Every structure is written in structure tokens, then in C-alpha cells.
């Protein structure tokens, strides 16, 4: 299945509110808490497993989206290795979550704010990045949620 | 219906814990995520729709509460227009949510922390405001939640 | 019952995902929102009531864990009194919550990120501390959740 061409769509347009069931909302919250933690623990490959095989990760600060789980894993591995060489800890917070039913059954449109804090060894935490995002989540045949398309827009990018 | 005179009541007194059902808790969380996003997208009028017609918005940094949806919309419009003239993005985070059953059926007392981050174009995010708040939410005849009374207390205000 | 010797276990190892029911997840979220607020309101003794009688509070920045509710209350009272003498407000945020079933029935392993913001009188908020944590929650005979073991690891501690 082709990933929808959402990269050009502006984030944040409210769109029709079709809130997912409360069970799905809780499941999505749990999904993100585990997903973000993988990133902060340097587990690029396990983190990439939370995307579909043909998943897309687009960012407004990158000229091209990352396409497919293999590319997503490889590129995140480079970023995390580079980060691991610095004496800092990063913490990804995701909040202000809105989970709407997607157009296809078994899909969800999830909008969120993300904040990344960086803590230098021996120093105080400081906000490193604010970035709203929007995911298209799908449920696989194994019952697990995965990201088919993610768009993250760094605030303040010029 | 007259808005309760809560403006003088100190925020933060724990009060009796009468947690709302988990369904209502999730609904309230969804309500706030959508509400705060409207603010960050500059939609003052849609944001004001989340108050009741006779809603009140009190803040410890304002001598008088804003009274009624029309005044709430007009005053927030002024604030958002002023903000839009500056090269920054604001993100409202709301968390640490406690939802208790209100004294009247179909009402809820919601307490939360809010944090506002500001991101200058080309710069890093910085915390702009910390402010706990307390809302009286009511369910309208159309089934939607709305704020009848909001009190927000800016931390550090002297 | 003896508190499990978890102090030496590294935080953050993903472990098997055994997500609690959505009802319990919501209950735990509510538990933490109330618990953290007690701390920010200076209520050390009520806060300590959220631990079991034999509860343990371990931190990577302390040579020894605090053992038992009485010690936890007394030590937090000292810390909060010292804080109250300074012209600042503190706000504890807890997020990115993962609630897994514990090994014993009626227990839960909860992992979270915590962020503490400090707001000086007349000043802007600033991040004071980032600290992931892991709790072992148990349900008492009175039906309430309590912490049997808490481990908090301050980021950046050297």
C-alpha cells in the first residue's frame, strides 16, 4: 500500500473531530510512551519496528522523507550513535494527544506535541526541541499498532 | 445560570477525591488537547466556543474575570493578534489532570497544570509560563463538554 | 512483606510488555496527578501516605534508600520546609507513563518520566530536574493504590 502523500499537507488544521474510543486512546498513549522511550534508550532498530514495513517519516527540516522501515532504522541509528558520543541525556515527551478515527477502518489520525529535553552530565535540563507531529496509525494483522506515516514539524525552523 | 463565585477560592486545596469515570477522564483529556490546540493555532473564536455562553475566565493576573463567551472571544482575539505579530510559536501543554465529579450531576471539577513554551523563529524553545488551573466543566444538551468557570493562576506572579 | 531489592536494577530496560487494562492505566494516571500535587502543595505527610507502610524510596543521588513511610514522610518534610523558605514555586510533571502488570497479581510496574519546573517569584519558569522513575504499585485491602518501591534516577547526575 502506498503511503498517502501527506507531506505537503499543513499540520494543525483541526479537521473533523472523530475521536477514537477511549480504549484506543489509552492504547495509543501506551504505544507512544513505549515508542519514545526506545528512542531515548538508543534502540533505533526496535524503534523503527513501530513503523510499518513501508512506513514514511517526514520532517519539515529534511528535504526528503525517510521511506521504509530499513531506511528509518538506518538513519535513526546514525543520529543516535552521534548523540551517544555526547555527554547528554535526551528525553522525548509527547503530549496533547488527539486521536481521531482515520478514513479507512482500522486506521487512526493522531496529532500530538513533542518536546525534547536535553540534560548535560552535571547540568540542568533544557528544552531542546518543540515539534508537533501527526501520525497515521494502522493496526497490523498481529493486532499491533504501527505508524504508516509520520510528519513532524520542528517549531522555529526557518 | 450564574457562574459560581470561585474566583476567590484558593487553587490547589485537595478537596474530596471523587474521581470521574475513566471514560469521562479520557473525554476530558481529549477536550483539553483540542481546546489548547485551537489557542496555539490562533483560533480565538472557536476556542471561546469551548466555554458556555455565560462562561467565566478568571486569572490571578487580571483585576477582573472575563465574563461571557463574547467577551472571552474578543479579549483572546486581541491577545492572539498581538502574539501573531511576533516571530514566535507558542505551545500550550496541559497535564497532571485531576477530574472529580462536581457537586451538581453532569458537572466536573478539573484541576491541571499548564505550561506554555515559546519558540522564537530560528531559536530554541523556552518555558514561558507555568500556571495551574481549575475548571468547572458542564455537559450541554448537545452532549458536548464546555467550561462554565475557569480559574488560572500564573506561578511567580507578584 | 519485604520490598524487592530493585535498587540495583538499571532503569529503562524495556522488559516484557504486559500493559495493564485501560481502566488501571487511567487509575494510575489519576493516582500520580494527585500524588505529585501533594508534593507541590507542601503536604509531605499526605504524600507519604501514598507509599505502603513498608514502602521504599530510592534515588540514584542518595547513598541509601528511604525505608518505611515514617522515614519517607520525615525526610520529605525536611526537604519541603527548606524549599518553602525560598521564593519559588515547584511543579512536578509526570508523563510518558507505561503501566505493566507486575509479577504478582494486584501489582503493577509503572515507568515514567518526571520533570520538575521551578518558578521564582517574579520570574520565568525553568526546568529544574529531569528524572525517569519506576514504581512498584500495589493495591491495598482498602482498594487504594500505593507505592511499595520507587526508584528515581536523576538525569545528568555525575
Amino acid at each position: 500500500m502506498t503511503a498517502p502523500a501527506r507531506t505537503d499537507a499543513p499540520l494543525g488544521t483541526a479537521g473533523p473531530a472523530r475521536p477514537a474510543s477511549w480504549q484506543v486512546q489509552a492504547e495509543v498513549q501506551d504505544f507512544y510512551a513505549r515508542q519514545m522511550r526506545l528512542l531515548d534508550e538508543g534502540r533505533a532498530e526496535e524503534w523503527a519496528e513501530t513503523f510499518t514495513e513501508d512506513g514514511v517519516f517526514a520532517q519539515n527540516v529534511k528535504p526528503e522523507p525517510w521511506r521504509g522501515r530499513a531506511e528509518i532504522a538506518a538513519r535513526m541509528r546514525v543520529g543516535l550513535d552521534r548523540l551517544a558520543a555526547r555527554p547528554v541525556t535526551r528525553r522525548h515527551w509527547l503530549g496533547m494527544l488527539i486521536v481521531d478515527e482515520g478514513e479507512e477502518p482500522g486506521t487512526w489520525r493522531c496529532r500530538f506535541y513533542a518536546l525534547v529535553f536535553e540534560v548535560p552530565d552535571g547540568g540542568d535540563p533544557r528544552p531542546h526541541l518543540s515539534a508537533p507531529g501527526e501520525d497515521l496509525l494502522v493496526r497490523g494483522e498481529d493486532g499491533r499498532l504501527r505508524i504508516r506515516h509520520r510528519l513532524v514539524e520542528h517549531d522555529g525552523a526557518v
Side-chain angles (χ1 to χ4, degrees), chain A residues 2 4 7-8 12-13 26-27 30 32 35-36 45 49 59 77 79-80 89 96 98 102-103 107 118 126 140 151:
Chain A
T2 325
T7 320
D8 302 328
T13 49
E27 189 183 354
D30 177 77
Y32 284 126
Q35 201 222 15
M36 290 300 196
E45 295 72 23
E49 289 289 325
Q59 299 181 75
R77 168 51 56 210
L80 293 184
T89 304
M96 306 311 286
I98 299 173
E103 287 173 27
T107 70
E118 204 165 277
R126 59 176 202 84
L151 171 56

Side-chain angles (χ1 to χ4, degrees), chain A residues 6 43 46 49 55 67-68 74 78 80-81 85 87 107 123 126 129-131 135 140 142 146 149-150 157-158:
Chain A
R6 278 168 171 268
R43 302 167 173 231
E46 288 164 82
E49 289 289 325
R67 296 187 181 281
V78 171
L80 293 184
D81 283 351
T107 70
R126 59 176 202 84
L129 174 67
S130 166
D135 284 350
D142 60 358
R146 287 196 183 78
H149 191 280
R150 166 166 285 184
V158 286

Side-chain angles (χ1 to χ4, degrees), chain A residues 24 27-29 31-32 35 50-52 97 99-100 102 104-110 112 134-140 144-150:
Chain A
V24 168
E27 189 183 354
V28 170
Q29 202 123 29
F31 171 82
Y32 284 126
Q35 201 222 15
T50 63
F51 287 79
T52 61
L97 179 62
V99 185
D100 282 306
E104 295 171 55
T107 70
W108 292 272
R109 178 193 183 214
C110 304
F112 53 82
E134 178 175 331
D135 284 350
L136 181 66
L137 287 193
V138 299
R139 193 182 294 286
R144 293 178 58 184
L145 296 175
R146 287 196 183 78
I147 299 171
R148 184 183 289 164
H149 191 280
R150 166 166 285 184

